[in-house]
Amino acid sequence: MTARAADRARYDRATAHLEAPLAIVDLDAFDANADDLLRRAGGKPIRVASKSVRCRALLERVLAKDGFAGIMSFTLAESLWLARSGFDDVLLAYPSADRAGFAELAGDPKLASAVTVMIDDPAQLRFIDDARDGGREVVRVCLELDTSLKLLGGRVRVGARRSPLHSPAQVADMARVVARRPGFELVGIMAYEGHIAGVGDAVAGRPLRSRAVRLMQAAARRELAERRAEVVRAVRAVVPGLEFVNGGGTGSVQHTAAEDCVTEIGAGSGLYVPRLFDNYTSFSGRPAALFAQPVVRRPGVGVVTVLGGGYPASGAAGPDRLPVPYLPQGLRYDPQEGPGEVQTPLLGSPADDLLIGDKVWFRHAKAGELCERFDALHLVEGDSVPATVPTYRGEGRTFL
């Protein structure tokens, strides 16, 4: 029996008493992935990206491990909720326009000490001040550095369109704006190199593209390491007491951790290891989060139909954003239909061994987005389910 076949048998036994659709997290794989992230971080603390987990119980589990410290959140409302739930170090990774949230933050000393918000524009400071509604607490802020690689005088850009702060001078100027403005404290710098950390460099069947990605990423790492060090020096000249410099992502942990100026690593997808993280030469993980759909039809030889399953991930639309049938191995989508809203035909010889009610196991393309489809995660240990925990959605928290 192959390892994947053994996993399928184990998952089927563990969830035999549960009706699909359902989602699971394999705790053995989750913990092994966490340990691998720590190994690659080389002793630098890892701040957990909550958008890639979206489950309080699993955030608590990973943060209980030595080497993980703090959360990187994705909305202000989520940040405040987590802080009120007992998480005392929450870095909001994206700017916000949540007036009510800023009023709550500025009016509560506990929240103000636990939450750090992201800015990259003086207008965001004015927005926060206008939203304070009388709150006088000092707001902790972090500056985001644009990590994109710019070539040919800026005419070619590789990387996500995030912060407008690209050069050391721009970031230092923004640091001076914060330092001069009452009611704010600059405590950190964040730089997320998504074009390195979030793009696979070993795409199956695409050797030329994979080589091009590796060359691009090597050039981008060299450029960013030099520029990030200059940025940190420039900002520390303005704010000597800077608390942290955050960088990285699941795909670049070991490279970013090697930079002396970086004090902590941000990562989260590497805990679940969704399908987009299969295509890396620098690491491999174990799929930990899966979902199951029940077989509801057998239209013919070599075909079964499962209920639902059309759960595309965010990003530019394409086949890589779709979940993939994973267990039993050998199933594939009908190219005329793909994964559907209410039904999904699957083709392949394994279909002939599936009965009505059997489970087909899928992997989602991106990590935490799976939790927007399910209100609970069944935690699998061995071949049993010792606990079932709510996702954000299961706690009535749909932040985006």
Side-chain angles (χ1 to χ4, degrees):
M1 182 181 289
T2 67
R4 280 176 62 169
D7 280 342
R8 181 197 173 199
R10 187 161 58 86
Y11 298 151
D12 282 346
R13 287 195 300 271
T15 64
H17 62 295
L18 300 171
E19 298 287 348
L22 59 84
I24 66 167
V25 169
D26 182 334
L27 291 180
D28 292 337
F30 181 89
D31 290 341
N33 292 336
D35 291 341
D36 185 62
L37 287 170
L38 292 173
R39 177 188 61 80
R40 291 198 288 135
K44 290 191 175 176
I46 296 175
R47 185 180 291 273
V48 184
S50 62
K51 78 177 185 65
S52 300
V53 180
R54 303 194 200 201
C55 170
R56 279 200 298 167
L58 289 175
L59 288 173
E60 290 169 352
R61 183 182 184 91
V62 72
L63 286 169
K65 286 179 169 285
D66 289 340
F68 288 89
I71 289 176
M72 179 180 289
S73 58
F74 59 96
T75 73
L76 181 54
E78 179 211 16
S79 305
L80 300 176
W81 176 63
L82 291 173
R84 290 200 181 282
S85 301
F87 298 94
D88 60 4
D89 181 6
V90 183
L91 170 62
L92 173 57
Y94 305 87
S96 177
D98 181 351
R99 294 180 186 276
F102 281 126
E104 186 177 355
L105 177 68
D108 188 315
K110 177 185 175 183
L111 298 179
S113 67
V115 175
T116 301
V117 302
M118 192 66 60
I119 64 166
D120 54 37
D121 189 315
Q124 293 156 347
L125 296 175
R126 294 193 293 272
F127 185 95
I128 295 170
D129 271 339
D130 290 343
R132 282 178 179 269
D133 193 28
R136 296 181 178 276
E137 296 299 323
V138 172
V139 175
R140 294 164 52 88
V141 299
C142 176
L143 302 183
E144 179 168 3
L145 169 66
D146 170 35
T147 64
S148 63
L149 176 64
K150 294 186 177 181
L151 305 170
L152 301 177
R155 293 190 295 275
V156 175
R157 174 194 182 101
V158 180
R161 295 185 180 275
R162 293 175 64 111
S163 170
L165 305 178
H166 187 83
S167 70
Q170 288 175 315
V171 185
D173 285 345
M174 189 67 216
R176 281 187 281 271
V177 170
V178 178
R180 290 194 299 262
R181 194 173 187 103
F184 295 92
E185 180 185 9
L186 177 58
V187 298
I189 299 171
M190 187 191 82
Y192 171 58
E193 52 265 44
H195 52 303
I196 303 170
V199 178
D201 64 352
V203 182
R206 305 287 297 275
L208 293 180
R209 173 180 168 80
S210 297
R211 177 168 172 76
V213 169
R214 287 194 291 274
L215 291 172
M216 176 277 291
Q217 290 179 339
R221 282 197 300 268
R222 289 192 298 270
E223 186 276 337
L224 178 59
E226 181 178 336
R227 180 161 52 91
R228 178 154 42 198
E230 293 175 1
V231 165
V232 173
R233 283 194 294 269
V235 172
R236 287 196 183 277
V238 179
V239 184
L242 202 67
E243 294 178 15
F244 65 86
V245 177
N246 179 281
T250 287
S252 69
V253 170
Q254 65 273 29
H255 301 297
T256 308
E259 297 181 34
D260 290 338
C261 70
V262 174
T263 66
E264 64 175 41
I265 306 299
S269 295
L271 296 169
Y272 287 170
V273 186
R275 61 166 296 205
L276 282 178
F277 286 85
D278 286 346
N279 305 317
Y280 286 80
T281 57
S282 60
F283 79 100
S284 61
R286 292 172 55 184
L290 300 94
F291 68 94
Q293 304 295 113
V295 173
V296 292
R297 284 177 170 164
R298 293 170 48 89
V301 175
V303 186
V304 292
T305 302
V306 299
L307 184 70
Y311 304 155
S314 62
D320 66 332
R321 301 291 141 166
L322 300 179
V324 289
Y326 182 61
L327 301 170
Q329 190 170 359
L331 293 173
R332 65 186 186 279
Y333 293 126
D334 181 334
Q336 301 300 313
E337 296 194 45
E341 178 188 9
V342 290
Q343 71 162 37
T344 297
L346 297 171
L347 313 179
S349 58
D352 294 329
D353 296 323
L354 291 169
L355 305 177
I356 300 297
D358 282 352
K359 296 180 177 78
V360 174
W361 296 91
F362 293 76
R363 294 175 65 200
H364 201 265
K366 295 185 74 174
E369 292 184 19
L370 170 65
C371 295
E372 300 299 340
R373 300 288 183 170
F374 294 89
D375 61 9
L377 297 173
H378 302 285
L379 306 183
V380 173
E381 207 162 29
D383 58 0
S384 66
V385 175
T388 296
V389 295
T391 61
Y392 278 13
R393 174 179 171 171
E395 295 198 71
R397 305 288 176 166
T398 50
F399 296 109
L400 279 179

